[in-house]
Amino acid sequence: MSVLDKIKTWFEPVQPLAPEVLHYQTPPEADDQYRLHLRIEGDGRGLLVVNAATILHLNRTATEYARLLIQGASEKEAVQEMVRRYRVSPDTARADLRELRDHILMLSTMEDLDPVTFLGIDRVEPFSAETSAPYRVDLALTYRVDETSALDPEAEHRVDQELSTVDWRCIIRSLWEVGVPHICFTGGEPTLRDDLVELITYAEELGMVTGLLTDGRRLRNQVYLDELLLAGLDHLQITLVSHRAEIHDAVLGRPGSWEETMTGLKNGLAGDIYVVVHVVVRPENADSVLETVDYLAELGVPAMALSSPLESDDIHAEKLAHILKESQEAVYEHNMTLVWDLAAPYSHVNPVEVETGLPAGQVVRQHLYVEPDGDALPAQGYNVVLGNLLRDSWESIWRHPEREKLASLEA
């Protein structure tokens, strides 16, 4: 290479890494045991899954450091490569490498972590660009809502069958193979499925981060909760209408459900798992939401999600929007985490939009929702069938014109 050509390369933008998925497991003799899965996007950004329990969103340079660590490069080799590519000083490259390595080691040994962490980039950025696969897929295992097999009234007209365990395992594997790092089991009520523990175990064995969205009633059975935790469940979201039993039971039409949910919630808080309580603000509970936030804070709940099912033209919408804002501020005042991405309800006023101000289209870009029969929707609440994960190719679903149309919306 001539001197002129060499100088020219100094001013050319660094080309991003090629898309790929890499895995790493520490050797048996290592003092700190952990496993890593790295998914590199087409623009060079990455998602690093630590111990199938925590996802780190990485910028381009952090992704390159992670790739070098996974490939077994020595510190000297990694520093030399980053100096070559980015013209940074060896000291800077070495400090950045050690910071990322220390962060990974910290996450691999800490308990009850937020399952999604942003490292090196602003948290809004991951939703602003198209990717090869979603960051998370919600799997509605069933639309049954109680032991009588009653169906969710909002969904029963669309789906009249549930997939078998074998079919769900097939879907979970196919999602992992296209690069999906995170799945949430939802419904209806997913704990009504007898194979939930088996499906969580299977996803954890693959290396996925797993979450459960539930009414919490079955978690009052400590033995069952322990089975979920031993299977590898990483985070738990429990839906609560109100801290007042009479409001909670009346809205659900199920006497005694508040006591069962609260017992399940307290069991979850005592367990080794990250717990979020989701409160849907509606006319029936609007006047007591702030009290509910206070109650949950005193109970020791670390995180909350807040949403509303009402659309902007609803007569109650303006009042509920004001209450949502006040409730958010109350969550912060109690030093609780306001979760903006774990909740399932992709109604037109959802946690992501409320907290970040992102338009719905950007949310749809990074999520997918699968119904009990395997049909894939852009998100819950968007009744557009993109295809069936058992019958149709991934490319035809993820690149479906209707999904891309929704993802392009800016308002």
Side-chain angles (χ1 to χ4, degrees):
M1 178 184 295
S2 69
V3 174
L4 183 60
D5 289 338
K6 188 174 182 179
I7 293 175
K8 183 179 178 181
T9 63
W10 293 351
F11 298 97
E12 292 177 349
V14 177
Q15 294 301 309
L17 297 175
E20 63 177 325
V21 177
L22 302 96
H23 302 163
Y24 174 77
Q25 173 76 53
T26 51
E29 65 274 12
D31 293 333
D32 297 305
Q33 290 290 320
Y34 59 89
R35 54 177 169 153
L36 307 174
H37 297 83
L38 177 66
R39 180 180 117 192
I40 302 176
E41 296 289 357
D43 62 0
R45 294 177 303 157
L47 287 88
L48 182 67
V49 183
V50 181
N51 287 338
T54 300
I55 298 171
L56 278 71
H57 291 268
L58 307 178
N59 64 13
R60 283 177 51 177
T61 52
T63 298
E64 297 198 30
Y65 282 117
R67 182 174 181 269
L68 290 165
L69 289 173
I70 287 177
Q71 291 177 327
S74 66
E75 181 176 287
K76 180 179 178 181
E77 291 169 334
V79 168
Q80 288 176 339
E81 176 65 10
M82 297 304 287
V83 168
R84 182 187 67 81
R85 279 178 60 77
Y86 289 97
R87 310 298 174 187
V88 296
S89 71
D91 288 344
T92 297
R94 187 176 298 106
D96 289 344
L97 176 67
R98 290 177 178 177
E99 182 181 5
L100 177 62
R101 184 176 58 201
D102 291 346
H103 197 76
I104 292 171
L105 288 173
M106 178 192 69
L107 291 175
S108 69
T109 57
M110 291 182 65
E111 299 178 350
D112 301 341
L113 287 169
D114 185 334
V116 180
T117 301
F118 294 89
L119 184 66
I121 52 177
D122 183 81
R123 68 181 183 181
V124 174
E125 187 178 337
F127 297 96
S128 63
E130 186 60 87
T131 59
S132 59
Y135 294 144
R136 191 191 81 214
V137 174
D138 295 327
L139 304 180
L141 300 180
T142 179
Y143 278 151
R144 289 176 286 145
V145 295
D146 58 33
E147 294 80 357
T148 68
S149 294
L151 297 178
D152 181 343
E154 295 183 4
E156 62 181 342
H157 65 283
R158 293 199 312 274
V159 177
D160 58 3
Q161 63 175 319
E162 294 180 12
L163 297 178
S164 67
T165 304
V166 172
D167 286 339
W168 276 120
R169 285 169 64 102
C170 181
I171 286 177
I172 291 170
R173 172 168 283 280
S174 67
L175 292 173
W176 175 246
E177 289 176 346
V178 299
V180 175
H182 185 185
I183 57 174
C184 286
F185 296 103
T186 182
E189 178 47 51
T191 61
L192 294 173
R193 288 277 303 208
D194 294 335
D195 57 0
L196 178 59
V197 171
E198 178 181 344
L199 294 177
I200 292 171
T201 300
Y202 182 66
E204 197 277 339
E205 289 172 349
L206 291 174
M208 285 177 144
V209 176
T210 57
L212 174 64
L213 283 65
T214 174
D215 62 15
R217 294 170 61 229
R218 193 173 178 188
L219 304 185
R220 68 188 187 277
N221 182 332
Q222 186 65 53
V223 173
Y224 179 69
L225 175 59
D226 290 343
E227 289 178 350
L228 295 176
L229 299 181
L230 289 172
L233 185 67
D234 298 302
H235 63 87
L236 176 65
Q237 180 174 292
I238 296 177
T239 301
L240 182 72
V241 177
S242 174
H243 71 294
R244 297 181 183 176
E246 66 276 13
I247 297 177
H248 182 95
D249 292 354
V251 169
L252 296 182
R254 192 182 299 128
S257 62
W258 183 87
E259 187 64 40
E260 294 174 337
T261 293
M262 290 306 302
T263 301
L265 172 58
K266 291 175 182 178
N267 285 345
L269 290 172
D272 179 18
I273 192 168
Y274 185 80
V275 178
V276 178
V277 173
H278 176 216
V279 176
V280 180
V281 181
R282 60 185 81 213
E284 296 91 337
N285 67 357
D287 292 335
S288 62
V289 171
L290 291 176
E291 295 175 15
T292 299
V293 174
D294 294 341
Y295 175 84
L296 294 173
E298 186 174 347
L299 196 63
V301 172
M304 284 189 64
L306 295 161
S307 65
S308 169
L310 300 182
E311 307 219 17
S312 59
D313 59 349
D314 192 287
I315 59 173
H316 299 285
E318 185 175 349
K319 175 184 177 182
L320 295 193
H322 176 70
I323 293 173
L324 272 174
K325 184 64 176 177
E326 287 188 330
S327 302
Q328 283 181 284
E329 294 172 354
V331 169
Y332 289 132
E333 289 173 0
H334 283 293
N335 293 317
M336 302 164 71
T337 299
L338 183 63
V339 173
W340 54 278
D341 189 34
L342 293 186
Y346 288 101
S347 53
H348 293 288
V349 182
N350 64 64
V352 179
E353 292 180 64
V354 169
E355 170 67 1
T356 67
L358 288 174
Q362 291 191 19
V363 177
V364 169
R365 288 178 184 174
Q366 309 304 346
H367 297 87
L368 203 67
Y369 178 84
V370 183
E371 298 200 281
D373 61 356
D375 281 351
L377 311 182
Q380 185 180 17
Y382 292 87
N383 298 325
V384 177
V385 177
L386 307 174
N388 189 283
L389 284 173
L390 289 176
R391 298 190 300 268
D392 301 310
S393 70
W394 173 253
E395 191 68 18
S396 67
I397 292 173
W398 190 239
R399 302 301 177 191
H400 192 286
E402 287 299 318
R403 195 199 73 84
E404 294 192 333
K405 179 181 177 181
L406 284 171
S408 68
L409 296 178
E410 293 300 324

